[in-house]
Amino acid sequence: MLLTIDCGNTNTVFALWDGSAFVANWRMATNHQRTADEYYTWLRTMMRLEDLDVTVTDCIISSTVPRVVFNLRVLCDRYFETRPLVVGKPECRLPAQPRVDQGTIVGPDRLVNAAAGFDRHGGDLIVVDFGTATTFDVVDHDGAYVGGVIAPGVNLSLEALHMAAAALPHVDITRPQRVVGTNTVTCMQSGVFWGYVGLVKEITARIRGERDRPMTVVSTGGLAPLFQQSEDLFDHWEEDLTMHGLTVIHAFNKDTS
């Protein structure tokens, strides 16, 4: 059984892959102070709650938070007796090498999204990931990551409004019924929602213009379903794109080892 671990700035997702499907997945808040013992205790508890009696034989990690990687490595080494693959490290090979400026370190999440998107949809892709940041990953015809765009995440923008303006409350993102709000909350929701619709439209249009070819647009991330309902922004929505990418990279390393 393969344990896939995707550690983002806000949440860390653990999922079990049996070779053909994910049999379980769990989410916890990212915390760089959490120890390997705590990870293991929590994971075993979650497995017992779902009556899962499985043996983890392989692990792969993608982390945008470098400080958590050590304890995740210890988790895999100590409790599952396996050396994990860590995306972005030299020993973890990629199906296609990124083509970016020399010396640039590409975020592991972007490499994983590129591998997953190419495996499911082929090349010439724009992957829009609604996470702590909203990222646009451009995937070439052969599956290589060739650059992208990073914008503030939706919730980050709402939090910034709340923190910087004393009179503005904290609100949840939703699609407002009308563009023009008639109270403070709906005004903020409209600004963020339709602002991000415009952001996605403009950036994907400009990427298509620079690439000068048809591009398939795929969305993923926690808020992707909300924007999937609007304006035909995306060709596909992928709930588990990042986790799928980890299985693709793991299989590639197994096949080439």
Side-chain angles (χ1 to χ4, degrees), residues 127-188:
V127 179
V128 185
D129 191 342
F130 291 92
T132 304
T134 299
T135 59
F136 298 73
D137 303 324
V138 180
V139 184
D140 211 346
H141 65 93
D142 60 351
Y145 171 86
V146 292
V149 175
I150 301 174
V154 177
N155 286 320
L156 191 63
S157 295
L158 279 170
E159 189 65 25
L161 275 175
H162 170 60
M163 295 293 291
L168 296 181
H170 177 79
V171 300
D172 294 325
I173 182 64
T174 187
R175 176 177 177 165
Q177 294 182 343
R178 294 184 295 178
V179 174
V180 178
T182 53
N183 57 65
T184 301
V185 169
T186 57
C187 286
M188 292 173 66

Side-chain angles (χ1 to χ4, degrees), residues 126 136 149 194-210 233:
I126 304 169
F136 298 73
V149 175
W194 293 112
Y196 272 85
V197 168
L199 179 143
V200 171
K201 279 186 174 181
E202 183 69 13
I203 290 179
T204 54
R206 287 183 175 272
I207 291 172
R208 285 185 170 117
E210 283 189 7
L233 295 175

